[in-house]
Amino acid sequence: MIEWSESQLMIRDAVRRFVEAEIAPHVEELEHGDLPPYDILRKMYAAFGMDEMARARFAKQIEAEKSGAMRKLRSDSEGDAEARADQAAASLIPIIELCRYCPGMVTALGVSVGLTASAILSKGTIEQKERWGLDILTLEKIGAWAITEPGSGSDAFGGMRASARREGDEFVLNGSKTFITNGPFADTTVFICKLEENDVDLRDRRILNFVLDRGMPGFEQSAPLRKMGMHSSPTGELFVTDVRVGMDRLLGGEKALGKTGGGREGAKGTFQTERSGVAAMALGIVDRCLELSLKYARERVQFGRPIGEYQLIQDKLARMEVARMNLQNLVFRTIELSARGKTMTFAEASAMKLYAARAAVEVAMEAVQVYGGNGYMSEYVVEQFARDAKVLQIYAGTDEIQIRAIAKDLLRG
Amino acid sequence: MKVMVCLKQVPHQDARLDVNSDGTWIQEDNIKFEINSYDTYAIEEALRLKDAGDAEVVVVSIGPDRVTQALRTALGMGADRAVHVNDAAAQGADALGTAKILAAVAKEEGADVIFTGLMADDDNASAIPPMVAELLDMPSATGVTATEISEASIKVERELEGGALEVVELPKPCLIAIQTGANQVRYASLKGIMQAKKKPVDVKTLADLGVADSAGHAHNKATINKISVPAKGDTAEILEGSTDEIVTQLVGKIKELGLL
């Protein structure tokens, strides 16, 4: 893939039109007010038939699982490379376009339909998928994926203290989670914790995933936390105190208790998907920062000339364009891999995420610099991207964790 | 029922327009185009008929290769088929020439209802819809803000000067020129866009439609001699002060000019 196809450009234009008409006028309330992003995201889903597409995909998957024909489903969808490319593009283009105005909305959306629904769809039983998965995939309900704790970030599983104590056929859940995207508003939360096993070291205990509904006794969702950027994505804390649940809320049911691998398997796949989404986010941020910087470089006159005529500004613009081209090529590669039914290696996804996050931060900070004093003011928008971009180096695995993954892979030889 | 929608591709509203080298039209290279905004309401009105019952929606446009994109967008929104009149000889057509081409397509299609936008964003002529209706000897209504279809006719509300509304009933076949804001235009769904490339687009020439004269044109008696950007004046005056002061100054100016 060397360029967007005609239908991909149509998708881009349609989504951009929606973003400019429906989101741009609300950026102020989303970023600096109390407007949660969900209703606008639902409107986007309805406008582009994304809810219907999700419903159709879900029905197909469940039907295939029920008839034990998952392998056939996979080989069928591998058949038409062009359709697969369009589908991959159709999921990445809205990310890019939303990030041109409101990267936080992608975080809120991605955590709900990406992480939370994916966790339920990959780990849950058919009953659990039908009970919780579909509503999250269609955005009828909002999901949160609760892994991070005050004492565990990069060392997510090792340092995790949240626990599930087995009492007969029930579990008693305890623990607190933080930095949970959608935490304050989620209808459905996947709560990740460790099975209490007295004879096993805390670090090595089995990881279990439970589904919690809003309002369950003992389950408290905090108000949104104040943070540096991504204001349109509500982030909160979750407190779980002696929440009693049955086997029906343990993802995978009884089988999850007997699995080998301690419940950590599958996490890499989740991280991989998350990491390729970050490249699309970075592309949206860089694309808009470049567009805004070009506009300002043409219009802003200092010492009698537009600042775009000065080489120091030209250097910044050229570097932004290099980053944009690289990111676009990474997105193209992601689409091309999907079209061919291939997935990126874990190390490659990490390398892509590392580059994308750093490029977005560098470009957004340089956009502020091009705008000078105006860039430091909210009115000129670029400062929002500088604040928003920073989290790309932190969430979905910090830069340092990506470097470790890349280096480990290289040294393995 | 067959519903035909005429659409025009026009320069994007944010496109930077420059006059071309011979001063007769704008420089079209490297600018973005979009569907004329009035026509998007016409497409929506047609698609609503399709949603409500058994209608086939055919979108028609005249122009070079780039027009395919506008037609694909309409197909992505839900239209069933497209007709693309792609013929260099159609480029110089005047309003009557364009109307003749569209009428020929409508005749070939056997359209029961034709929807158009009230006018085009680029030339604001409003000439073509009534001409097409006249050539086809069918009734038409312009400035339409609402439609209600029945078996044999369509009842429409039209906008008149001064905010008045007129209700007219037209027997089918008929032509309806839609006003902006008549409805909420849908976005092309992602699935619709992906399926659009599989929908048929028939490419026609003026000869195919039987509207070419001996020189190969449909009708091109009116020609554009020159277009230009209005010269910038320096007569603007910015009023300054508080709101009350500005209002007082403004009223004074209006009185000074004898307008009050």
Side-chain angles (χ1 to χ4, degrees), chain A residues 79-245:
Chain A
D80 185 349
E82 201 183 333
R84 283 181 68 89
D86 277 353
Q87 261 166 25
S91 66
L92 291 171
I93 290 168
I95 297 178
I96 299 167
E97 294 304 315
L98 284 170
C99 279
R100 284 171 43 84
Y101 283 84
C102 237
M105 294 189 87
V106 173
T107 305
L109 178 67
V111 167
S112 193
V113 302
L115 295 180
T116 316
S118 296
I120 295 170
L121 291 189
S122 63
K123 295 182 171 65
T125 62
I126 289 179
E127 293 72 32
Q128 289 169 332
K129 290 173 196 184
E130 287 175 332
R131 184 171 167 192
W132 291 295
L134 180 60
D135 285 348
I136 303 178
L137 279 177
T138 56
L139 279 189
E140 267 168 54
K141 295 218 167 135
I142 298 303
W145 190 68
I147 185 165
T148 304
E149 297 181 3
S152 72
S154 294
D155 181 19
F157 292 130
M160 184 180 291
R161 304 193 74 84
S163 66
R165 190 174 67 248
R166 184 146 191 197
E167 289 187 3
D169 270 352
E170 289 189 330
F171 297 88
V172 179
L173 310 180
N174 279 286
S176 57
K177 299 284 179 183
T178 193
F179 311 149
I180 307 304
T181 299
N182 299 332
F185 297 99
D187 304 294
T188 308
T189 298
V190 171
F191 177 73
I192 305 170
C193 59
K194 283 179 177 164
L195 182 65
E196 280 191 15
E197 297 171 291
N198 292 335
D199 48 347
V200 183
D201 185 78
L202 185 64
R203 292 193 68 83
D204 302 326
R205 288 182 184 173
R206 177 169 299 280
I207 300 289
L208 298 176
N209 298 263
F210 289 91
V211 182
L212 302 182
D213 290 327
R214 182 174 204 41
M216 285 175 77
F219 178 39
E220 193 191 330
Q221 299 170 255
S222 79
L225 299 168
R226 289 180 69 171
K227 55 188 194 288
M228 179 177 175
M230 297 283 184
H231 292 166
S232 52
S233 146
T235 305
E237 294 172 294
L238 303 175
F239 304 100
V240 176
T241 313
D242 290 334
V243 173
R244 193 169 279 275
V245 295

Side-chain angles (χ1 to χ4, degrees), chain B residues 134-218:
Chain B
E134 196 59 31
L135 289 167
L136 293 167
D137 195 23
M138 57 169 67
S140 68
T142 56
V144 170
T145 53
T147 63
E148 190 188 319
I149 194 149
S150 58
E151 192 62 34
S153 64
I154 299 187
K155 200 188 275 184
V156 303
E157 265 182 27
R158 320 181 44 229
E159 225 174 53
L160 301 180
E161 287 296 321
L165 286 176
E166 182 183 52
V167 178
V168 186
E169 190 160 354
L170 300 91
K172 289 193 283 192
C174 59
L175 181 144
I176 292 163
I178 302 280
Q179 175 64 291
T180 52
N183 49 43
Q184 175 79 42
V185 181
R186 73 191 65 190
Y187 292 91
S189 73
L190 300 189
K191 196 176 165 192
I193 291 172
M194 288 188 262
Q195 287 172 342
K197 61 184 165 200
K198 291 180 188 145
K199 291 184 177 174
V201 177
D202 297 331
V203 180
K204 305 259 181 193
T205 61
L206 301 193
D208 294 337
L209 295 165
V211 289
D213 61 18
S214 56
H217 300 112

